[in-house]
Amino acid sequence: MAGSFRTLLDGDGVTTGEVHWGAVVAGVIVALTGQVLLTLLGAGLGASFDATRGDVLSGATVAWGAYAWWAVTGIACAFAGGWTAGWVAGSTPSVDRIEGSFQGFLTWGAATLIIGILVLGLASGSVFAARVGGPLVGDASGAADAAAQAALWSFFALIIGAAGSIGGGFLGVAHAKRMIAASGK
């Protein structure tokens, strides 16, 4: 059983736990850049709905649509950042897929902290909070329920993003190893 697991990993079976910070930084850059680009795309698509043309959506529909877009793009960007970190780390001969997964997880953690700090910093401004809260700001119980639901669903989206970044790191190392083997190095 252990031999087949080691074969699955295609590694030397010795994981050092070494952090490859260059790989993590590269992954964070990819994840954050992707998130910015996809957030702008989502904002542009959302702004394309025009009430004067009959495109009427409820506030709840718009809020859940924005959340769904943010969650799905966040998960995709976490995978891309993890894959990048794994691929960059995988160019080192001693790195196996488990270490690539670790680099992907670190990428997810760093990107999550950066986005969290930015979002909390922006949300601390009352004008921004009023804009985001929209119609819920006047209804304290509605706002509390919406915040509780958003926090719970955000938790699940972040866990899925973490798993995606771990899987991305695992696959990124595998790709790097295949590219190295194909080049004959």
Side-chain angles (χ1 to χ4, degrees), residues 45-169:
L45 292 173
S48 69
F49 287 97
D50 186 4
T52 61
R53 295 183 308 184
D55 297 338
V56 180
L57 298 173
S58 71
T61 302
V62 170
W64 279 107
Y67 169 76
W69 180 266
W70 177 267
V72 169
T73 59
I75 292 166
C77 291
F79 176 83
W83 188 91
T84 301
W87 184 73
V88 172
S91 63
T92 304
S94 64
V95 172
D96 63 13
R97 292 181 184 185
I98 297 299
E99 282 185 301
S101 297
F102 180 62
Q103 308 311 314
F105 180 75
L106 288 176
T107 295
W108 170 82
T112 299
L113 285 174
I114 291 168
I115 289 174
I117 289 168
L118 289 174
V119 168
L120 289 175
L122 290 172
S124 66
S126 61
V127 173
F128 182 77
R131 283 268 196 196
V132 171
L136 299 176
V137 172
D139 180 13
S141 68
D145 290 343
Q149 285 184 353
L152 183 63
W153 287 108
S154 295
F155 170 79
F156 290 122
L158 285 169
I159 294 301
I160 294 168
S165 68
I166 290 168

